[in-house]
């Protein structure tokens, strides 16, 4: 039997990033290294690099998230980037959206243990919850799918003039170029590649930002959203 990898101590940068929530960030890292590995949410080889590659890499996304907005973390998995973001930013209202039961169970446990009152866990797929979840200002995602496919799930969940922030790797520019036509059809009005985490992570975290106009998801999703809104009004009257 292979011996479990040991979680290294939190780097000094983590104290600066998480501030008063540093102890909670350490507890989250421990949960990922223990229950996360046992339940197959994190590979055992990732444990030695949990801080730099996963937790801090996600926490620095906070640098480009506006103040006081609503966020939906699509395909949240083990809570990355949603939980590190929540630990850094208690001004946000965050929904962790994940279709698999074993993952939502883990997320619910983490949210309760860490007292993240501004975080809600929802089980479901992005394409299934549109109309039941209120549209959000920001959609986040990490390692979910190629950008063109991710956009078809994430952009329709946005409010008009919202934005999708996707943590990507070295292929970010290439993915953005390949997805240009699909993004335009989904109502994107601006795209950019950002690098965040100066002085915290090396290499810097790469974020693809997709800004939408007044019709997130394009014409097809505008009609679907309007139908969902009408259905919701009828239910409320009852």
């Amino acid at each position: 039997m292979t011996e479990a990898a040991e979680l290294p101590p939190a780097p000094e940068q983590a104290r600066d990033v998480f501030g008063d929530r540093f102890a909670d960030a350490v507890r989250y890292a421990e949960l990922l290294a223990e229950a996360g590995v046992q339940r197959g949410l994190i590979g055992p080889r990732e444990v030695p690099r949990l801080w730099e590659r996963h937790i801090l890499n996600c926490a620095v996304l906070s640098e480009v998230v506006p103040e006081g907005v609503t966020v939906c973390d699509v395909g949240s998995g083990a809570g990355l980037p949603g939980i590190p973001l929540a630990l850094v930013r208690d001004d946000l209202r965050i929904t962790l959206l994940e279709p698999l039961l074993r993952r939502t169970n883990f997320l619910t446990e983490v949210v309760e243990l860490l007292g993240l009152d501004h975080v809600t866990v929802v089980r479901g797929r992005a394409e299934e919850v549109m109309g039941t979840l209120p549209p959000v200002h920001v959609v986040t995602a990490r390692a979910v799918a190629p950008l063109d496919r991710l956009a078809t799930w994430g952009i329709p969940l946005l409010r008009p003039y919202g934005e999708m922030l996707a943590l990507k790797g070295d292929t970010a520019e290439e993915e953005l170029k390949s997805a240009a036509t699909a993004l335009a059809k989904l109502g994107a009005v601006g795209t950019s590649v950002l690098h965040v985490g100066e002085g915290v992570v090396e290499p810097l975290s790469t974020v693809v930002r997709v800004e939408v106009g007044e019709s997130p998801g394009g014409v097809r999703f505008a009609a679907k959203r309007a139908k969902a809104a009408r259905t919701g009004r009828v239910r409320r009257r009852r």
Side-chain angles (χ1 to χ4, degrees):
M1 186 181 226
T2 306
E3 189 175 339
E6 187 175 341
L7 177 69
E12 279 304 308
Q13 298 96 312
R15 293 184 180 275
D16 296 329
V17 170
F18 291 105
D20 293 343
R21 283 282 197 173
F22 173 70
D24 291 326
V26 171
R27 184 65 184 124
Y28 176 53
E30 292 169 347
L31 289 165
L32 286 176
E34 296 162 8
V37 171
Q38 291 163 9
R39 301 186 197 183
L41 307 182
I42 291 285
R45 292 183 180 179
E46 296 303 311
V47 173
R49 51 187 184 177
L50 266 179
W51 282 106
E52 289 81 1
R53 185 181 175 89
H54 298 285
I55 298 173
L56 287 172
N57 178 272
C58 289
V60 296
L61 182 63
S62 65
E63 294 177 18
V64 290
V65 178
E67 288 186 18
V69 298
T70 52
V71 178
C72 183
D73 188 31
V74 172
S76 195
L80 300 163
I83 288 176
L85 184 61
L87 288 169
V88 176
R89 298 282 301 277
D90 60 7
D91 61 301
L92 306 175
R93 302 295 301 179
I94 300 176
T95 298
L96 307 179
L97 181 62
E98 169 56 47
L100 294 185
L101 180 60
R102 63 188 171 90
R103 293 176 180 170
T104 54
N105 285 343
F106 175 79
L107 293 173
T108 300
E109 291 166 20
V110 171
V111 166
E112 290 176 356
L113 279 168
L114 302 185
L116 298 174
D117 298 333
H118 57 306
V119 177
T120 302
V121 178
V122 174
R123 185 184 175 198
R125 299 183 184 279
E127 59 270 33
E128 297 168 348
V129 300
M130 195 181 79
T132 60
L133 283 184
V136 296
H137 298 92
V138 176
V139 162
T140 60
R142 177 181 186 257
V144 173
L147 188 61
D148 54 351
R149 203 185 324 155
L150 173 62
T152 65
W153 301 331
I155 287 180
L157 300 177
L158 289 169
R159 295 169 51 137
Y161 307 105
E163 59 186 324
M164 184 174 73
L165 299 172
L167 280 160
K168 288 288 182 179
D170 297 336
T171 62
E173 295 278 3
E174 184 181 326
E175 279 196 58
L176 193 50
K177 193 178 296 184
S178 299
T181 301
L183 293 174
K185 287 180 180 177
L186 288 165
V189 296
T191 60
S192 53
V193 175
L194 313 172
H195 299 283
V196 296
E198 184 74 43
V200 178
V201 290
E202 183 60 44
L204 299 179
S205 296
T206 301
V207 181
V208 173
R209 171 186 272 158
V210 179
E211 299 166 276
V212 300
E214 60 183 16
S215 298
V219 175
R220 183 163 64 93
F221 285 100
K224 188 174 179 181
R225 189 179 292 108
K227 181 179 178 181
R230 288 195 299 273
T231 303
R233 283 197 293 271
V234 170
R235 286 174 183 160
R236 283 194 292 274
R237 286 194 200 104
R238 290 174 180 169

